[in-house]
Each structure stands twice: as C-alpha cells, then as structure tokens.
Amino acid sequence: ADLAREAVASNLSTAVDQERFSTPERAALATLEVANTNMYRAIREQTVQRGYDPREHTLVAFGGAGPMHAASIAEELDIGTVLVPPSPGIASARGLLTGDVRYDYQRTVSQRLEDVDGDGVGETFVELEERGRKQLTRDEIDEDDWEFERTVDLLYEGQGYELSVEYDGVDEGWRERIRDRFETRHESEYGHYFEGDPVVLLNLRVTAVGDVSDYDPADLPGGDGDPSDARTTESTVYFGTSDDPDERTVPRYDRELLRRGDVVVGPAVVDEFDSTVVVPPGWEAAVESTGAIELTRES
C-alpha cells in the first residue's frame, strides 16, 4: 500500500495541478472513477443500447478485479444485485477445465436467400457434421456425449455484420422460417428490421460439442448469519468521490472462513487468494451454499 500511495503521489498528486488530484487518496478515487466509467459505458452498450434494461438483471463479477468494481458500477446502472462466484479470479481457467469441447466448422455461401440451393445446403451440413464426428472420435469422447448445433449466418444485402440463427432443415417453407428468425433477432439486437429488403445467407455452421465433465459446486456448511469468525483485521478505506472522499475504517473477512447464510454488512472487504470483494456502504453480502456471494443494495 505504501508503494502504491507513493506512485500515485508522484505521478498524479505532484504532477497535475487539479484539486481532485491534491492528495494520493483523492487522485486514486479519480482514477477509479475513470475505470468504473469505462466499464459502465461498455455494459450500457451491451444492454441499454440493445434494448435491455440492466435493472432487470443481476451483474456477475468475475476476474481478479471485477468484485472490487462491481457494486459501484451496479449503482451507476441502478442494478440492485451483484453475484460474485467462487474463485472469481480464475473463472476463465475453471471454465476451460470444466466446459464442453467445441469445434466449429463453416462453409461460406454468400448468396441471396431466395437463390440458395436447398439441396446443396443440406448436403453441406451433412459434410460439416461428419468432420465434427471424426474429430470427437479422435478425442475419444463417448458418442452418447456428442451434440451438434446447426446455424446459419445472415445479413441484409450491403450490411457489414451478420447474425446467427438456428437451422432446422430445408423442407417446405425453410427460407421463410429462416428469414423470420433472422428478422426477429435483428429487431431484438438493434430495435428494428427491414421488411422486404434482400437477405443474404452468408455462412453455414456446424458446432460439434463433446460433454467432457460437469462442474460440481461446493456445498458450504451452514453458519448462523454472523461472519465474526471470518473476520481478520480492519483497514482504512476511502469510498465516495474524488470531490468528496469518504474515509471509513472497515472490517476485513477471509472468504474461505465464511459459511452459508453469513451476512457481511458494508462497508467491508472480503479477501481471498485470487480476488477482493468490496462491499460499499449501503450494501450487504450474503453467502450462498455454493460459496457464491450475493451483494444487494439496502432499500
């Protein structure tokens, strides 16, 4: 912490002649505000700008730093619940080790939908699926654990991006079904579709999936709601903004010692080997049976 304070002081507090950088603590909060704003804008691009209301969803925080920022970002988005999975700092590695094996095969068509030869489409999907079967066989995955997903990529003629929709055969009316799915998804993603405009079938895709393992989550022993046994120390933490810092002395807890049903009332910090969970003022964190932590805003 001393080295971090020294770095912020020398690179910001003494180098920038602005009130919000006048102390290392205020400069650090200003830096945090920039980082949170960037993440907030990225989430808005994937939600609000696509017609989704983030207030209706839970924000999942993973990665080493995600649980440090999550509650503050949720407040900006007016999200009331944040979920921090077990070992969030190694979530990607866990997914790699427990996720299904997947192979993607593609054939480009790039023709108007009405001009596409249905028989040729069917034959191509058979060929692509056979490639997947051979690969899963080489991987020695039991045939009972195979699954094949057939999709097509479509776009309006002249458009620079495509959308993928389910393919279910070339029987009677298949072109109309695929166009309907494409336009339904286009409206969902972008808020509109172009009725009557030519649609191009760009790619045929087969995804071969092999189920290799299942994730077996932990089942924590029950606690009495009091996290005192997991408390380790206390620290000075600055909340608020760079214009109005809010200095608090907060308890710290060891996540491995928390039990199902324990509730940590903010402000507080929960430490673990791969991440840090910040529970700001006005929030509380409840431990679930799987070890996940659910942060909720106080009403």
Side-chain angles (χ1 to χ4, degrees), residues 157-230:
E157 193 169 57
Q159 204 169 32
Y161 49 87
E162 66 273 5
L163 293 173
S164 182
V165 299
E166 178 190 2
Y167 166 84
D168 60 358
V170 289
D171 53 345
E172 184 177 355
W174 70 276
R175 292 182 179 85
E176 290 77 12
R177 287 200 309 274
I178 286 179
R179 182 179 181 115
D180 286 345
R181 289 171 188 159
F182 166 69
E183 294 189 329
T184 297
R185 184 169 181 199
H186 197 284
E187 184 174 26
S188 175
E189 293 282 343
Y190 305 110
H192 65 276
Y193 68 94
F194 302 105
E195 185 176 359
D197 280 17
V199 171
V200 173
L201 194 158
L202 184 62
N203 300 311
L204 311 179
R205 294 182 182 273
V206 168
T207 300
V209 182
D211 184 5
V212 293
S213 64
D214 294 319
Y215 171 54
D216 187 16
D219 186 12
L220 295 186
D224 59 3
D226 183 357
S228 298
D229 289 343

Side-chain angles (χ1 to χ4, degrees), residues 36-85:
N36 286 346
T37 297
N38 288 337
M39 287 183 271
Y40 159 77
R41 288 175 176 171
I43 294 173
R44 277 186 59 90
E45 287 180 2
Q46 300 300 319
T47 55
V48 176
Q49 294 182 19
R50 295 192 171 197
Y52 300 105
D53 187 346
R55 295 173 297 181
E56 299 176 356
H57 300 274
T58 295
L59 182 65
V60 179
F62 63 94
M68 298 178 67
H69 298 270
S72 296
I73 296 170
E75 286 186 353
E76 291 294 323
L77 293 164
D78 203 18
I79 295 175
T81 305
V82 173
L83 186 67
V84 183

Side-chain angles (χ1 to χ4, degrees), residues 5-24 27:
R5 183 175 287 105
E6 180 182 335
V8 172
S10 62
N11 288 281
L12 287 176
S13 298
T14 61
V16 181
D17 186 19
Q18 293 185 24
E19 185 67 22
R20 62 178 181 154
F21 295 122
S22 58
T23 67

Side-chain angles (χ1 to χ4, degrees), residues 59-137:
L59 182 65
V60 179
F62 63 94
M68 298 178 67
H69 298 270
S72 296
I73 296 170
E75 286 186 353
E76 291 294 323
L77 293 164
D78 203 18
I79 295 175
T81 305
V82 173
L83 186 67
V84 183
S87 304
I90 57 170
S92 296
R94 185 194 299 276
L96 178 66
L97 293 171
T98 61
D100 296 336
V101 172
R102 301 175 68 91
Y103 295 99
D104 292 303
Y105 303 95
Q106 172 185 311
R107 183 76 54 81
T108 298
V109 177
S110 194
Q111 290 182 313
R112 282 192 176 189
L113 185 58
E114 65 263 27
D115 297 331
V116 173
D117 175 29
D119 292 337
V121 168
E123 292 170 2
T124 299
F125 271 114
V126 171
E127 294 172 10
L128 296 176
E129 188 170 308
E130 182 58 27
R131 290 174 60 188
R133 291 179 180 277
K134 290 179 179 179
Q135 182 61 59
L136 294 176
T137 299

